[in-house]
Amino acid sequence: MDTALSRSRPPRDPSRHAAPQVFDYLRERIIALELPPGTLISRADLQELFGFSSTPVRDALMRLQEEGLVDIFPQHATIVSPIDLKLARQAQFLRRSLEQEAVRTIALSAERAEVVARLETVIEVQATLLGRGDLPGFENADREFHRVFFETAGIAGLHAMVRRYSGHIDRIRRLHLPMPGKAAQVIADHRAIVAGIASGDTGKAQDALREHLSKSLAFTPDLQARWPDYFRD
């Protein structure tokens, strides 16, 4: 089996269809850069890894292609796609637009104190994980922090849509996160957003969110200099 996919067999969930299990497994590893741009993905290895037939593997790869995360060359190969900066910018625009309206809604809500308490709990979890050096756990907590905006603003259904469009910018963020001071800055940014929400100052909350969501793309030239083969513009 190709070393890119050589790990113990992922647990199979009999309550779920096969293709989504393959899709989630691959997407998670692509976003985490465990399968970096340019990695060859073998359908045969995936079939062996999961014990599935070719059909769910094919369907999972087609979904990844729809998100722009793999390039499929029929009868030849499937390769993890480079980070597409155009798609990353579009995802940033989408997230910024939706989340700014979400934090405004929360800041004006009568339930904002309860939401603030939830967000502060997530921030404390992030601080604990950072202290342990657990960046994957930190990243999961970061996603939870932003997911709370969608849920508590009454637009939970849009979170899945944003996730579908965020594969490229999420890989940029994953490259950026280990840089010195980046994770600590994320926590500081989150605290600033929560402070704006807690005060009911919609402008303060939105400004803090806008600045927070702009930083990884602003740092992209430095990331491109380090990993030029990971990007296409």
Side-chain angles (χ1 to χ4, degrees), residues 60-203:
L61 292 174
M62 289 178 66
R63 282 187 62 192
L64 290 167
Q65 183 183 41
E66 290 171 0
E67 291 193 12
L69 295 176
V70 300
D71 295 319
I72 298 176
F73 302 93
Q75 311 303 319
H76 179 57
T78 298
I79 298 173
V80 177
S81 67
I83 298 169
D84 188 313
L85 290 178
K86 180 178 179 180
L87 294 178
R89 293 184 190 105
Q90 291 177 10
Q92 182 197 53
F93 183 90
L94 178 64
R95 279 193 63 185
R96 194 164 52 195
S97 300
L98 290 173
E99 292 193 29
Q100 282 191 113
E101 187 59 30
V103 298
R104 179 181 183 278
T105 298
I106 297 165
L108 295 174
S109 169
E111 290 80 35
R112 73 169 179 266
E114 289 83 357
V115 179
V116 164
R118 286 183 63 182
L119 294 170
E120 288 177 337
T121 297
V122 177
I123 292 172
E124 292 310 310
V125 170
Q126 285 190 286
T128 298
L129 292 167
L130 178 57
R132 295 175 183 166
D134 183 355
L135 287 183
F138 182 94
E139 194 170 24
N140 288 334
D142 182 76
R143 284 194 288 267
E144 173 62 15
F145 181 86
H146 289 272
R147 189 196 65 79
V148 170
F149 295 154
F150 289 84
E151 177 190 331
T152 56
I155 55 171
L158 294 179
H159 186 260
M161 180 190 72
V162 170
R163 178 179 180 269
R164 287 197 302 273
Y165 284 96
S166 294
H168 292 275
I169 196 165
D170 283 348
R171 288 193 286 174
I172 291 173
R173 293 174 62 250
R174 186 65 186 85
L175 281 174
H176 194 187
L177 187 60
M179 299 296 175
K182 171 58 180 175
Q185 184 61 58
V186 168
I187 291 175
D189 288 352
H190 285 182
R191 286 179 172 147
I193 295 166
V194 172
I197 293 172
S199 68
D201 187 333
T202 60

